[in-house]
Amino acid sequence: MNKIGVHALSWVGGWSEAEARTAIEGSARLGYDLVEIPMLDTSAIDTAMTRRLLQESGIAATVSLGLDPTNDITSSDPDIAQRGETHLKTVVTLANEIGATHVCGVIHSAMKKYMEPATDAAIDQSADILRRICAHAEGLGIEIGLEVVNRYESNVLNTAAQGVALCDSVGAKNVKVHLDTYHMNIEEADSAHAILETGDRLGYFHIGESHRGYLGSGSIDFDGIFRSLARIGYGGPIVFESFSSEVVNPQLSSMLGIWRNLWSDGEDLCRHAFQFTTAHLHAAHKVDGLVKEPGAGGARDG
Ligand code: MN
């Protein structure tokens, strides 16, 4: 069964002990199985404190991040690329100290608007570095998720098909595609179909609305998306992501362009998202017995 999670930035903008407690205890209280902790600044997370709070609340954790122009592993500047490799290795090590199961996000390039397409050499370099990161992570039992995002946040992975191709190129057992409904809504011709095509290469899933606010209050077809997740037998984490100018992380909020206030009560937002997600997932798993495949004796045959 899928672990249902929530991004910490729905609760808090930083990670002091009080903030970590708010996010971890709040998520557990609402029924979530895991909390996703952003780790852009590796010095900002007290791993021992985080691990202790997670254990007290009995929920799991994952870690996410986006690289930036100073540690972009697609950079033609070898010092910048090396800084990225070192940073990713450190994040994986710290994720293990927390007890996290996954490290995911925009780790294949910087998370920024590029002004030119990615070159083949840049993508090959990214794959080479990710292969070494995966080897480090595999020794710690951590899975790596390469997040497919829209064109304004990376020039390497914008579609699920590109995500599968990069995973093939990395060629590690513990590298998977990380999809996000918010980004798919911008780039995919058909999000539900893209999930089917990704199939067992899907390892991590972000659920977010078209405007990144309350689920169901935007334009995304969540029925189709959850049905596809059920059809491929997806068993990985499903993590709710929502951002508002109400809760600000100085690095992440500006990178993601969170200028508008879409909600002010994070607890109500997260309670609703948990109910929405579990209800849609439950319904999607009931569809199989109701739908006949073409040629399997349906009305079309008559
Ligand atoms: Mn995402």
Side-chain angles (χ1 to χ4, degrees):
M1 206 53 209
N2 308 94
K3 278 191 161 63
I4 308 299
V6 58
H7 193 282
L9 204 53
S10 297
W11 293 99
V12 292
W15 206 251
S16 65
E17 178 155 359
E19 289 169 317
R21 192 177 284 283
T22 296
I24 291 170
E25 291 182 357
S27 300
R29 186 172 65 246
L30 296 181
Y32 283 100
D33 306 301
L34 76 84
V35 62
E36 180 180 313
I37 302 169
M39 195 185 282
L40 293 103
D41 175 2
T42 51
S43 65
I45 307 277
D46 178 339
T47 55
M49 173 272 286
T50 304
R51 189 184 185 97
R52 174 171 48 80
L53 292 180
L54 288 164
Q55 285 174 343
E56 282 173 16
S57 284
I59 63 171
T62 59
V63 163
S64 63
L65 73 154
L67 295 175
D68 65 45
T70 71
N71 59 19
D72 179 357
I73 63 171
T74 67
S75 175
S76 57
D77 179 334
D79 291 339
I80 292 176
Q82 179 58 54
R83 209 174 295 137
E85 179 167 352
T86 303
H87 183 68
L88 288 175
K89 279 202 175 122
T90 303
V91 168
V92 168
T93 300
L94 296 178
N96 180 59
E97 288 177 14
I98 288 173
T101 52
H102 296 69
V103 171
C104 58
V106 186
I107 59 177
H108 40 79
S109 73
M111 183 159 70
K112 68 165 196 178
K113 165 74 167 73
Y114 285 82
M115 299 306 283
E116 65 288 318
T119 63
D120 288 345
I123 297 171
D124 288 348
Q125 176 178 296
S126 177
D128 288 342
I129 291 173
L130 288 169
R131 198 172 302 123
R132 296 194 286 272
I133 299 303
C134 287
H136 174 54
E138 192 179 1
L140 302 172
I142 289 177
E143 195 169 287
I144 299 296
L146 306 182
E147 185 168 13
V148 178
V149 294
N150 73 71
R151 65 191 70 186
Y152 308 110
E153 295 185 27
S154 173
N155 62 357
V156 173
L157 296 185
N158 300 144
T159 66
Q162 290 174 322
V164 170
L166 185 57
C167 284
D168 283 344
S169 176
V170 172
K173 271 186 295 190
N174 59 331
V175 68
K176 295 276 177 141
V177 180
H178 167 184
L179 294 179
D180 179 320
T181 56
Y182 164 78
H183 298 290
M184 298 179 86
N185 180 58
I186 296 171
E187 300 292 350
E188 302 288 353
D190 182 328
S191 296
H193 184 72
I195 292 167
L196 297 180
E197 290 285 301
T198 307
D200 63 5
R201 317 302 298 279
L202 184 63
Y204 203 85
F205 199 76
H206 272 164
I207 171 171
E209 250 305 352
S210 51
H211 48 41
R212 308 200 103 156
Y214 273 75
L215 296 178
S217 73
S219 60
I220 291 184
D221 168 24
F222 284 111
D223 287 346
I225 281 162
F226 278 99
R227 287 177 184 208
S228 284
L229 292 174
R231 274 185 73 184
I232 64 169
Y234 176 67
I238 298 176
V239 179
F240 172 56
E241 248 191 347
S242 178
F243 305 101
S244 169
S245 58
E246 178 74 16
V247 177
V248 175
N249 173 298
Q251 281 173 292
L252 202 52
S253 295
S254 55
M255 259 199 288
L256 299 178
I258 310 305
W259 317 134
R260 283 191 293 148
N261 192 330
L262 284 157
W263 44 262
S264 52
D265 184 344
E267 175 146 355
D268 185 65
L269 171 92
C270 293
R271 181 184 300 108
H272 168 266
F274 182 78
Q275 292 166 349
F276 185 97
T277 301
T278 50
H280 274 73
L281 201 54
H282 190 65
H285 281 281
K286 301 297 178 196
V287 173
D288 250 6
L290 306 175
V291 176
K292 288 197 172 109
E293 294 293 331
R300 278 155 165 256
D301 291 343

